[in-house]
Amino acid sequence: MHATSTVQAAESPVATSAPPTSDSKTFARAFADIKTGFGARELWGHLGWQDIKQRYRRSVIGPFWITISQAVIALGLGLLYSQLFNTPIQVFLPYLSTGFILWGFISGCLAEGMETFIANEGLIKQLPAPLSVYMLRTVWRQTLLLAHNMIVYVAVLAIFFTALNHQYSLGNQTGLCGGPAYCHPGLSWTMLLAIPGFALLALNAGWVTLLLGIISTRFRDIPQVINSLIQLLFYGTPIVWPVDQLLAGGARANASWALPIIQLNPLYHFMQVVRAPLLGQSFTPGNWIVVGSITVIGWALALIAMRNYRARVSYWV
């Protein structure tokens, strides 16, 4: 009986438990990474501020060199391009300086976002922190730079306020509304819309930093390609040249065929949701719809990348 029981026990299937499944490639872990990263605001806030201080260490005026540099560039190019575009300096300089300030934030997030994990290689390998901390460090650093540059906007607005607090135009040589020239309503309470506009801009900077950072960490040629495209995007986006000149009645209305192409440029819409309120310019709901749609799609792609490749970044750097 004992031998028979032993044989039956040997022949009976052995109950085995299912192998443990890893949750490293789940959206829950991706969301948890981002949530934990936002919770560590003292860490990325300190790191971002230290980046600014380190850049201007031993400088007498420190980060305000950023403001001075921005002011000199805006003034010099404003005087030049206002003559080239035959637009009064009192309406063109605020347009140009605000465009440069916002472009500095956008291009900075693109250029430094691609390198965000590569540049933080030492911390990633030694500090058990969420990947989103390094994304937030980059976006916060660019936000601090933007805040310094906004001093230029405040100064320009104070000087040329009387030219912007009523209807004006960037499409003719007088800067005044009249005839077929496209008119802007002027400064009003709509300036407050720049706050949600910048919030959307910063949200998009977040997913761009995460997505491009992961891709660039794996494929090191990507930063070189995108850096080449940034200069092209600068000239293809209405930063230096005003769209008003292409509209009916504008000085270059014969080039109005380019307007549909401009509408396809997502950076144009990002500029509009922030710059237009700051300068009392006209904008359309379409600008906000495009920006909102890109925000949703971009974060969806970033979350997919975080789900699939978050755990591999430390091996790629």
Side-chain angles (χ1 to χ4, degrees):
M1 291 293 293
H2 178 71
T4 304
S5 301
T6 304
V7 172
Q8 290 177 348
E11 292 178 350
S12 61
V14 179
T16 58
S17 59
T21 58
S22 172
D23 64 342
S24 61
K25 289 188 176 183
T26 61
F27 283 114
R29 290 294 295 271
F31 278 110
D33 185 290
I34 295 172
K35 180 181 178 181
T36 307
F38 273 99
R41 55 184 174 274
E42 291 186 3
L43 175 60
W44 52 261
H46 174 75
L47 290 173
W49 181 245
Q50 284 298 118
D51 290 339
I52 302 295
K53 292 176 66 176
Q54 186 70 18
R55 183 179 300 183
Y56 296 96
R57 186 177 59 177
R58 297 183 180 179
S59 172
V60 176
I61 59 176
F64 287 101
W65 275 116
I66 306 170
T67 307
I68 295 174
S69 175
Q70 188 69 50
V72 171
I73 293 173
L75 180 60
L77 293 182
L79 292 172
L80 173 63
Y81 282 104
S82 63
Q83 297 299 314
L84 293 178
F85 294 123
N86 203 19
T87 305
I89 188 69
Q90 62 266 27
V91 294
F92 183 75
L93 187 57
Y95 177 86
L96 179 68
S97 58
T98 309
F100 270 128
I101 291 170
L102 294 177
W103 177 252
F105 179 83
I106 293 172
S107 61
C109 288
L110 281 171
E112 295 187 7
M114 294 180 296
E115 304 280 349
T116 190
F117 299 131
I118 300 172
N120 288 286
E121 175 185 356
L123 288 176
I124 291 174
K125 290 182 176 180
Q126 299 178 22
L127 183 67
L131 283 185
S132 56
V133 163
Y134 309 107
M135 173 270 289
L136 291 165
R137 175 186 186 177
T138 300
V139 177
W140 175 240
R141 179 171 63 246
Q142 291 301 320
T143 303
L144 290 174
L145 293 174
L146 176 74
H148 282 86
N149 288 332
M150 285 301 290
I151 298 175
V152 177
Y153 163 76
V154 173
V156 170
L157 187 66
I159 295 171
F160 298 113
F161 180 78
T162 55
L164 301 175
N165 69 340
H166 55 75
Q167 289 187 338
Y168 68 93
S169 175
L170 286 163
N172 56 36
Q173 58 184 353
T174 64
L176 302 174
C177 288
Y182 186 80
C183 285
H184 296 289
L187 295 172
S188 66
W189 64 268
T190 56
M191 290 180 66
L192 297 176
L193 291 175
I195 298 175
F198 177 73
L200 283 173
L201 188 60
L203 272 176
N204 281 272
W207 74 257
V208 166
T209 300
L210 279 177
L211 184 60
L212 292 184
I214 291 174
I215 295 174
S216 299
T217 304
R218 178 63 181 87
F219 304 101
R220 299 300 175 95
D221 292 325
I222 295 297
Q224 309 305 323
V225 175
I226 296 183
N227 281 327
S228 301
L229 293 176
I230 288 177
Q231 195 69 22
L232 178 62
L233 290 172
F234 173 79
Y235 290 110
T237 305
I239 298 168
V240 174
W241 48 275
V243 177
D244 297 29
Q245 301 223 341
L246 304 180
L247 301 173
R252 290 170 176 78
N254 58 342
S256 59
W257 55 266
L259 288 173
I261 301 175
I262 296 171
Q263 293 290 335
L264 293 176
N265 182 357
L267 294 183
Y268 164 70
H269 299 282
F270 282 105
M271 295 290 293
Q272 280 296 96
V273 297
V274 183
R275 179 166 62 180
L278 288 175
L279 298 178
Q281 293 185 343
S282 303
F283 55 88
T284 65
N287 299 133
W288 293 87
I289 292 172
V290 171
V291 171
S293 301
I294 293 175
T295 304
V296 173
I297 296 172
W299 270 106
L301 293 174
L303 286 171
I304 292 173
M306 285 283 285
R307 181 196 66 177
N308 293 333
Y309 306 111
R310 180 183 57 82
R312 300 185 185 181
V313 171
S314 58
Y315 297 99
W316 289 341
V317 293

